[in-house]
Amino acid sequence: DAKTTQPPSMDCAEGRAANLPCNHSTISGNEYVYWYRQIHSQGPQYIIHGLKNNETNEMASLIITEDRKSSTLILPHATLRDTAVYYCIVRVEAAGNKLTFGGGTRVLVKP
Amino acid sequence: GAVVSQHPSWVICKSGTSVKIECRSLDFQATTMFWYRQFPKQSLMLMATSNEGSKATYEQGVEKDKFLINHASLTLSTLTVTSAHPEDSSFYICSARDPWGVGYGYTFGSGTRLTVV
C-alpha cells in the first residue's frame, strides 16, 4: 500500500472549518483514500473514503486532487469533540486486506 | 452499523501470567479480524491477521508463541498474551471486517488497556 504523509499536529478554532492535508504521491490507480480518526483511548472510527471523486457525508468532506497525489479532509464546523488523531490511509479495496496506520495528524480544536 | 465488542476494556495482571482479550462482532460475521497494539503517543501497529478456522498471520517481529490468536467462530477472535511482562503493557485494539460494508467495513473495538505489574 502507498505511503502517506500528514502534518504531525494542527490546531483549529471551534466552529470553523478544519482542513487536514494528506500527501500520497505514490498512490496506485486502484488504491482508495481512507480517513479514520481516533479519539483518546478509543478505537479508530471510520470517517470517509474515496477513489477519484470528491465525497461528502454527515461527518466530513474529502477532496482528492485530480492527479490523486494528495487529498484534504474537511470538517466543516469543528467542535471540541472533534479533537482526535486523524489518519489518512491508502489501500487497495480487497477482502481481507489490512489497514496500515501511519503517524496521523493530532488535531486540537480550541474554544 | 456494524459493532465490534472488545473485552475487557482494561486489565491489570502480574508479570508471568497470561491474559486473554476477546473481540466479538455483534451483528455481522467476520471471517477476518485484525489485532493492533498501540503504545502511548504512537500510532497503531498491526500485530496479526486472524482468519476464522485457520492460523493467524503475524506481522514481522511479532512473536506468535507469545501472542496467541484464536478465531474459532465467525464472531469471535481472542488474543492471549502469554507470560506477560511489563513491556507488554499497551493498548490492544481489534478490528473486524464486515464483508458487506465496503469502505466503512473496518470496524474497531474500543480497545483493551493492559498493564503488567
Side-chain angles (χ1 to χ4, degrees):
Chain A
D1 295 335
K3 182 179 177 180
T4 62
T5 303
Q6 298 177 252
S9 64
M10 63 182 296
D11 294 344
C12 62
E14 185 181 19
R16 304 293 293 271
N19 298 307
L20 283 61
C22 180
N23 187 293
H24 32 79
S25 58
T26 60
I27 192 171
S28 301
N30 59 349
E31 288 183 309
Y32 285 73
V33 180
Y34 287 79
W35 283 84
Y36 281 77
R37 74 179 183 183
Q38 185 181 25
I39 295 171
H40 183 64
S41 294
Q42 296 182 25
Q45 175 191 22
Y46 166 84
I47 301 174
I48 199 167
H49 79 288
L51 181 63
K52 295 180 181 179
N53 300 321
N54 298 336
E55 302 287 345
T56 296
N57 61 21
E58 64 278 5
M59 290 183 68
S61 294
L62 173 61
I63 308 298
I64 303 175
T65 59
E66 194 169 340
D67 63 8
R68 302 186 71 238
K69 293 185 177 182
S70 65
S71 61
T72 300
L73 178 74
I74 301 173
L75 306 177
H77 304 286
T79 71
L80 300 180
R81 289 177 294 180
D82 292 322
T83 291
V85 179
Y86 287 77
Y87 296 98
C88 169
I89 302 169
V90 294
R91 60 172 295 281
V92 176
E93 175 60 22
N97 242 11
K98 54 193 177 184
L99 277 178
T100 303
F101 289 79
T105 296
R106 190 172 297 273
V107 174
L108 176 61
V109 180
K110 295 182 175 180
Chain B
V3 177
V4 172
S5 175
Q6 190 172 339
H7 291 282
S9 56
W10 60 271
V11 58
I12 301 173
C13 71
K14 292 185 177 180
S15 186
T17 62
S18 296
V19 175
K20 180 185 286 188
I21 302 170
E22 293 187 347
C23 179
R24 295 181 183 272
S25 55
L26 296 187
D27 48 3
F28 65 98
Q29 294 183 331
T31 56
T32 303
M33 292 185 175
F34 306 91
W35 287 96
Y36 294 83
R37 179 169 56 180
Q38 185 175 35
F39 293 107
K41 301 292 186 182
Q42 294 186 21
S43 184
L44 286 79
M45 291 183 56
L46 180 66
M47 299 175 65
T49 301
S50 171
N51 302 298
E52 187 270 334
S54 63
K55 291 182 179 180
T57 304
Y58 290 82
E59 295 298 304
Q60 191 173 8
V62 177
E63 301 175 61
K64 61 180 181 181
D65 294 331
K66 181 169 184 62
F67 299 100
L68 301 180
I69 292 172
N70 184 279
H71 194 157
S73 78
L74 287 171
T75 59
L76 174 63
S77 175
T78 61
L79 168 68
T80 300
V81 183
T82 63
S83 186
H85 291 286
E87 58 265 31
D88 299 322
S89 297
S90 187
F91 192 52
Y92 293 86
I93 307 169
C94 71
S95 173
R97 181 97 199 276
D98 176 359
W100 305 108
V102 176
Y104 45 80
Y106 292 90
T107 302
F108 289 80
S110 54
T112 297
R113 187 161 302 284
L114 169 64
T115 302
V116 185
V117 297

